[in-house]
Amino acid sequence: MTEIINSIQKIAVEIKDAIKTKDTGKVESQNASGDVQVKLDVISDEIVEKYLLKTSSVIEIISEEKEDAMPANPNGKYFVAYDPLDGSSLIDVDLSVGSIFGIYKGGYSGQNIVAAAYVVYGPRVEMVVARDTVELFRLNEQTNEFEFVKELRLEEKGKILGPGGTQKCWYPYHKEMIDNFFKEGYRLRYSGGMVPDLHQILLKGGGLFAYPGTTDKPKGKLRKLFEVFPFAYVYNKAGGLAVDGKGDLLDLDSEGYHDTTPCFFGSNYEITKVLKTYEGADK
């Protein structure tokens, strides 16, 4: 596991440099989920491959940018699913983006994730690693080394709200729930980048990030292996909760590499309200 985290640190440094110096334009292709790629998606994917394929403890990798998995070391024991550059469409307006890594043992499912990490490329480059605890590291750009900052824990209740999905396609009960959070005094904090938005909630001590099923995307938009399960693991280990509206996200299986699900991440107070809302909607 330490070997994988070390590889992710090297990956982060190279992607950081690519973001600062490479072309941010689009390419004439789509990824496996049908999203239009930017050149940095392709470059970042190649950087991740370069390191993970030669990491001895990794048996297989699967990228959000590709249709199928790639074999690594046949003697390895960990499967790594990753999004090399989440939120890449925000780069041309200079907003923060990130990389997400889910580390699995025994195959890809919520029950099999054993660690997770993500990197935020913003004014500073930060990495969060979740194993037994959730730890924050910050890149020292003088040495290109990540330095430990602190352990992260969510409080029982937060103050900020990141409501994703196309609002005109929200179900009425979901809209009412979001409106009620705002009536309680929650502040809107939503950039359209999953990594920086969830990072903000985690560092500010709590809140709610919601990407529900909608009338146009009943199964949600965010992908289980690359985005949802890794952040569910982070939030659970930080003392919060992560659900699909009915139960723990990490109880879900994944039939295909690019399966999606509705998802809600937050501190206990907010997620309890989500579960009550969705339980009532099913009756």
Side-chain angles (χ1 to χ4, degrees):
M1 186 65 68
T2 300
E3 183 188 26
I4 296 173
I5 301 304
N6 288 340
S7 293
I8 291 173
Q9 292 178 359
K10 295 173 184 175
I11 288 165
V13 171
E14 284 208 25
I15 291 179
K16 176 261 298 182
D17 291 339
I19 289 171
K20 289 184 175 182
T21 60
K22 302 296 184 181
D23 189 347
T24 61
K26 295 178 180 178
V27 294
E28 293 182 3
S29 63
Q30 297 179 333
N31 65 16
S33 299
D35 299 326
V36 175
Q37 292 176 303
V38 300
K39 293 178 182 178
L40 280 169
D41 285 318
V42 178
I43 292 169
S44 299
D45 197 33
E46 291 171 349
I47 291 170
V48 177
E49 280 182 18
K50 179 176 70 174
Y51 284 100
L52 289 187
L53 289 178
K54 64 182 182 182
T55 301
S56 63
S57 54
V58 175
I59 188 171
E60 183 180 281
I61 65 173
I62 176 67
S63 168
E64 183 181 289
E65 302 300 324
K66 289 191 166 62
E67 191 69 41
D68 296 310
M70 298 178 66
N73 188 329
N75 297 317
K77 61 180 180 179
Y78 295 111
F79 298 75
V80 182
Y82 64 93
D83 185 346
L85 197 59
D86 185 77
S88 55
S89 63
L90 301 174
I91 288 176
D92 61 347
V93 293
D94 211 20
L95 292 179
S96 296
V97 294
S99 301
I100 313 170
F101 302 85
I103 303 167
Y104 302 82
K105 188 175 181 180
Y108 303 105
S109 73
Q111 299 97 320
N112 287 341
I113 191 166
V114 294
Y118 69 85
V119 181
V120 186
Y121 309 101
R124 298 183 294 195
V125 178
E126 295 187 329
M127 178 176 69
V128 171
V129 178
R131 288 177 280 192
D132 293 331
T133 59
V134 180
E135 297 178 320
L136 172 67
F137 299 83
R138 186 171 297 135
L139 181 66
N140 181 330
E141 297 205 28
Q142 302 292 321
T143 64
N144 270 344
E145 298 289 334
F146 279 90
E147 299 171 351
F148 175 75
V149 178
K150 62 181 178 179
E151 184 178 327
L152 300 176
R153 294 288 298 176
L154 287 161
E155 298 171 7
E156 184 66 21
K157 179 182 184 298
K159 298 178 181 178
I160 59 179
L161 188 61
T166 304
Q167 291 190 25
K168 73 173 184 177
C169 298
W170 285 353
Y171 293 109
Y173 55 86
H174 179 82
K175 183 179 186 307
E176 182 181 7
M177 179 188 74
I178 296 297
D179 288 344
N180 286 337
F181 277 120
F182 284 128
K183 288 176 183 176
E184 288 185 41
Y186 281 72
R187 298 188 297 273
L188 176 65
R189 295 291 184 270
Y190 187 74
S191 72
M194 185 183 189
V195 174
D197 290 342
L198 278 164
H199 187 60
Q200 180 172 197
I201 290 171
L202 189 59
L203 266 68
K204 296 295 186 182
L208 176 68
F209 178 94
Y211 213 110
T214 53
T215 56
D216 61 332
K217 294 182 181 295
K219 293 185 178 180
K221 179 185 177 183
L222 299 179
R223 298 140 186 104
K224 294 178 182 177
L225 297 186
F226 316 107
E227 299 165 318
V228 174
F229 291 161
F231 269 109
Y233 191 87
V234 170
Y235 269 64
N236 284 348
K237 290 295 183 180
L241 295 168
V243 301
D244 64 353
K246 298 178 181 179
D248 193 329
L249 285 166
L250 294 183
D251 287 337
L252 299 178
D253 289 320
S254 183
E255 296 178 3
Y257 293 131
H258 299 274
D259 285 357
T260 62
T261 181
C263 52
F264 305 85
F265 307 87
S267 31
N268 292 333
Y269 174 82
E270 292 83 14
I271 297 298
T272 298
K273 285 196 173 275
V274 170
L275 292 172
K276 287 181 178 178
T277 296
Y278 276 75
E279 180 183 358
D282 290 336
K283 292 180 179 179

